[in-house]
């Protein structure tokens, strides 16, 4: 039977730390998630000091008592404590780490929309489509259960779609400007007679 030890467990932003007594990795994950209010099925256990993932009982059994660990939800990554000091540069309280996790969560939501039918990427709005384009193909492939080449083709298609939309917007703006100019000239001719247009040779 494994020895029962005490551990200190941080949440992914180092804002909440809890003490946990456990004799196995599974027990630590369960108790830690309960105390930190996390979903146990999508959490990784890592060393707080350097982010090394603890993913088997053998490695866990060698950890000394009072080891400091961190529980990372799916989509979040380990960062050193210095990373959080950068939040002082954001007067609105927004830190880059929180944005990174939130961004990956939004990407997962996008993938859920198109996982069953990849052609539904056409139903995404421009922001969602751009996020899909910017993601790494090797990360999208397993989530969409498609090959990397297929994912790249989808990203290329989405990029062309956005480019075409952008070109159409430019044409529409030019046409609007031309129409407004013609309407202005017509109104001037109606109010004060024919307006002599300069002839360019």
């Amino acid at each position: 039977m494994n020895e029962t030890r005490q551990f200190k467990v941080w949440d992914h932003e180092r804002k909440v730390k809890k003490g946990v007594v456990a004799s196995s990795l599974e027990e630590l994950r369960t108790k830690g998630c309960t105390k930190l209010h996390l979903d146990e099925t999508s959490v990784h256990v890592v060393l707080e000091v350097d982010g090394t993932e603890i993913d088997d009982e053998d490695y866990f059994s060698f950890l000394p008592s009072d080891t400091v660990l961190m529980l990372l939800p799916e989509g979040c990554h380990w960062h050193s404590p210095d990373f959080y000091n950068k939040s002082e540069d954001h007067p609105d309280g927004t830190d880059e780490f929180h944005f990174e996790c939130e961004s990956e969560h939004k990407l997962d939501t996008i993938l859920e929309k198109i996982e069953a039918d990849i052609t539904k990427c056409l139903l995404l709005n421009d922001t969602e489509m751009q996020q899909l384009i910017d993601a790494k193909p090797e990360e999208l492939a397993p989530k969409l259960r498609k090959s990397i080449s297929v994912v790249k083709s989808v990203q290329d298609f989405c990029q062309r779609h956005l480019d075409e939309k952008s070109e159409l917007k430019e044409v529409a703006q030019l046409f609007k400007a031309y129409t407004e100019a013609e309407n202005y000239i017509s109104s001037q001719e109606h109010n004060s007679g024919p307006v002599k247009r300069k002839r360019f040779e």
Side-chain angles (χ1 to χ4, degrees):
M1 182 175 180
N2 293 332
E3 177 187 0
T4 299
R5 288 156 292 161
Q6 60 186 27
F7 299 90
K8 295 180 177 67
V9 181
W10 278 105
D11 71 331
H12 66 282
E13 293 181 297
R14 287 187 178 85
K15 290 183 178 179
V16 181
K17 182 166 65 174
K18 298 289 185 179
V20 175
V21 175
S23 59
S24 68
L25 177 61
E26 192 61 34
E27 183 181 9
L28 179 131
R29 181 184 287 109
T30 299
K31 289 184 175 180
C33 287
T34 298
K35 291 191 174 186
L36 296 176
H37 307 291
L38 300 173
D39 179 6
E40 183 183 347
T41 61
S42 60
V43 164
H44 300 284
V45 180
V46 302
L47 293 177
E48 187 272 342
V49 66
D50 64 4
T52 300
E53 184 173 3
I54 314 299
D55 57 0
D56 64 63
E57 295 290 351
D58 290 336
Y59 190 98
F60 179 81
S61 67
F62 283 99
L63 295 179
S65 185
D66 288 322
T67 296
V68 182
L69 303 171
M70 179 180 287
L71 300 186
L72 297 179
E74 188 71 32
C76 293
H77 304 282
W78 177 89
H79 288 284
S80 68
D82 293 339
F83 180 88
Y84 298 93
N85 295 332
K86 295 178 182 179
S87 62
E88 296 177 1
D89 299 329
H90 299 267
D92 60 353
T94 303
D95 67 54
E96 296 173 14
F97 182 70
H98 176 72
F99 175 78
E100 180 180 355
C101 290
E102 184 176 301
S103 178
E104 295 203 21
H105 174 70
K106 288 181 179 179
L107 179 59
D108 288 338
T109 301
I110 294 170
L111 298 181
E112 288 177 2
K113 296 180 180 180
I114 66 175
E115 182 179 3
D117 183 359
I118 199 73
T119 61
K120 288 186 177 179
C121 63
L122 284 172
L123 302 179
L124 300 175
N125 60 43
D126 291 358
T127 301
E128 292 174 329
M129 196 171 288
Q130 188 61 57
Q131 192 167 356
L132 182 64
I133 293 168
D134 294 339
K136 296 180 180 178
E138 55 270 22
E139 294 180 0
L140 295 181
K143 294 181 179 181
L144 291 173
R145 291 177 290 182
K146 304 289 184 183
S147 67
I148 293 179
S149 60
V150 169
V151 171
K152 288 182 177 179
S153 296
V154 172
Q155 289 177 311
D156 289 342
F157 175 81
C158 289
Q159 185 63 65
R160 289 197 301 272
H161 180 70
L162 289 182
D163 290 344
E164 290 172 359
K165 287 183 68 175
S166 178
E167 290 174 1
L168 286 174
K169 287 180 181 178
E170 291 178 3
V171 171
Q173 290 173 352
L174 288 173
F175 181 73
K176 180 180 179 181
Y178 172 78
T179 302
E180 289 177 348
E182 284 294 313
N183 288 339
Y184 174 78
I185 292 174
S186 296
S187 64
Q188 291 297 310
E189 290 178 342
H190 177 73
N191 294 331
S192 58
V195 176
K196 186 177 181 180
R197 305 191 190 193
K198 186 175 180 180
R199 182 176 180 183
F200 295 93
E201 298 181 353

